[in-house]
């Protein structure tokens, strides 16, 4: 059994929806065990959750994009990971990431590139969505990877959409495929 | 009269449509004179066009996003600008940028951040769209800044859309507002 | 009189040294008034300090680079600025930024590009160092812009250097020149 | 036998020195076979070289940083790879990258992040240096990873250093360790 942790912060609940869909995608793959770890509103996780990350084969990072970057709570988690960094405890683990915001672009690429930078400092291996975008004239938000990201998963929740309303079908299906992709890489490509 | 040059490369013509709309936006502002400079398929512009850039108060960069970055032809133009860089000939000019690609995100942020980096090496002043995004549930591609960028203009032309089909109304109107924004900053904020 | 605020977070004091040098550089320019605003260890500034920022002609952002990005305290400040963003209260102000870390590169570029992204969301005008790098064989850390950044100021404080030891002469002189650059742009180029 | 290709462009020869050192590092690892592919001054490689890349288990990208980004020749290579992208021919290969420039920082991070973005579009797995930086007071350019990069290899060749003079010892040793790291990941971590 390979272990995959999804560690994320959500401000209002939309990013939690994405995290749950990523977990659902991981669960589609046999011989892989997912764990969901939620960073609280102070930017903290428990010691047990840190240990869970330490024993995982892969870590998926998740955060909303606020003001062009991951939330401060996610950043506090990243800053606290500096002890693991100093000892290179996470070296050779697989890493991936996702982010949600109200705007189609909204500088989400910026958040993903920070997550990549963080993973590189930890000497992890980074994987993206492995998904081609839906980008022809007929494409709509109900299609796979319509937001259109490669380096990590991007989803969009409109500014006036309640937690039960967004992200919608296309983004949620994309989130599952992303989770499945991470699980297959960990199980099938890594020793 | 303040002079603004729009220097861009277009592979298939969609980015030319955007460049024309940016020019149309600049023309809405009095006491500002726009010039359109097209980088050819070898990545070259003429000596007269280099001189035009040298005498401009502002330079707007434009390129498609191909494989996660500006086209090689735009990059060749940027590499050739290294003589101006060595003498810091473009210091204190205003700079801005735009990019078009088939996918909603499609790593367009990556192209804009390169253009910003280029402008910073030239010691220019960078301005973005100055536009809030259309990001509520009712928003559609006919709305202003639906693609949703701040650091520069992003437009989307679907992969199967002809040059006469894309970008469509919302992106073209956004392009005009972006051109107008650049012109107003140059005329009204700069000495 | 033009007003320039320097708002920064410092974890151990090295970034405070840089902030003070930036202020010293601003003070070299007449008809410009600098204000220093320190983000506390909870990521907060006072209401009076928010008002000071609101009434400034330019805002200079400063933060250490921790784990490949600005500190969480600086990010909390950025997240809190979302009210100003929603009203676009800082539109057309000049912005610039600096960062300090132990390693020569150490992903400092990542922090500066976030600060640029933040400024773009606020529709500000971004300026860099305006300084050429010292990069020949004879160059040393005592020279101007030896760390070698364009988009903003980068300084380096070795991992075992006390607050009274770093950054050293070259970086501090570079910090003053950066402050002076910001002040001259605000006074001489902007209406 | 796992196959690793190093495909790079060099303008003056310094980046060739780095590429050779990366190859030397790969050769330290048994059961791994390296191939060196040089992009010519028109941005082209031969059909045989494209086939070599197609049959490799890992591809290491290399380029100088010019004007804040990979050279236009490297970008032309990347643009030409769009046929492989459309068919996702390089999916699941391992990728890594390196860049050389005259300045310590000099926006090298920007080039590496483009290479990461390129690899993500190809659905590859990205690995960095796996090296901690030398960043204490006693550190010098003779030390490992003094330039201090995580996401990929950065080396520095002073602006007036001949091809036989730079990069110097520390950067060359770092390049070998980077090549060795790539080879060990491909051989020991990947199925």
């Amino acid at each position: 059994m390979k272990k995959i942790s999804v560690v994320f912060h959500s401000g209002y609940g939309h990013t939690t929806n994405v995290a749950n869909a990523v977990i659902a995608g991981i669960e589609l793959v046999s011989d892989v065990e997912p764990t969901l770890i939620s960073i609280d509103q102070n930017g903290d996780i428990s010691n047990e959750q840190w240990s869970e990350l330490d024993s995982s084969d892969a870590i998926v990072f998740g955060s909303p994009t606020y003001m062009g970057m991951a939330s401060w709570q996610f950043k506090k988690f990243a800053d606290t990971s500096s002890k693991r960094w100093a000892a290179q405890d996470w070296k050779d683990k697989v890493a991936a990431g996702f982010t949600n915001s109200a705007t189609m672009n909204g500088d989400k690429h910026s958040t993903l590139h920070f997550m990549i930078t963080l993973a590189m400092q930890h000497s992890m291996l980074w994987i993206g969505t492995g998904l081609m975008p839906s980008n022809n004239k007929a494409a709509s938000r109900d299609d796979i990877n319509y937001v259109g990201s490669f380096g990590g998963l991007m989803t969009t929740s409109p500014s006036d959409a309640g937690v039960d309303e967004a992200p919608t079908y296309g983004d949620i299906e994309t989130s599952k495929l992303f989770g499945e992709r991470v699980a297959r890489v960990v199980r099938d490509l890594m020793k």
Side-chain angles (χ1 to χ4, degrees), chain A residues 57-134:
Chain A
D57 297 286
I59 300 176
V60 181
F61 301 119
S63 172
T65 293
Y66 293 154
M67 301 307 299
M69 186 46 61
S71 66
W72 70 260
Q73 288 92 343
F74 183 86
K75 185 61 192 5
K76 189 176 168 192
F77 159 76
D79 287 3
T80 310
S81 80
S82 62
K83 286 176 195 166
R84 268 77 183 170
W85 168 78
Q88 291 283 287
D89 288 329
W90 293 356
K91 190 170 185 173
D92 296 343
K93 293 185 193 296
V94 168
F98 61 88
T99 188
N100 176 78
S101 77
T103 306
M104 288 302 283
N105 270 279
D107 297 323
K108 283 194 273 265
H109 185 91
S110 179
T111 297
L112 290 180
H113 268 255
F114 156 59
M115 289 177 177
I116 294 172
T117 300
L118 174 66
M120 288 300 113
Q121 293 211 0
H122 282 292
S123 299
M124 303 170 87
L125 287 69
W126 186 267
I127 54 171
T129 60
L131 296 171
M132 292 298 272
S134 294

Side-chain angles (χ1 to χ4, degrees), chain A residues 8-45:
Chain A
F8 75 103
H9 172 250
S10 181
Y12 300 95
H14 303 91
T15 307
T16 302
N17 294 345
V18 180
N20 286 331
V22 172
I23 291 282
I26 296 171
E27 288 174 338
L28 295 174
V29 179
S30 62
D31 301 322
V32 173
E33 182 190 338
T35 303
L36 192 63
I37 298 175
S38 177
I39 300 167
D40 71 21
Q41 299 305 330
N42 291 318
D44 296 323
I45 62 173

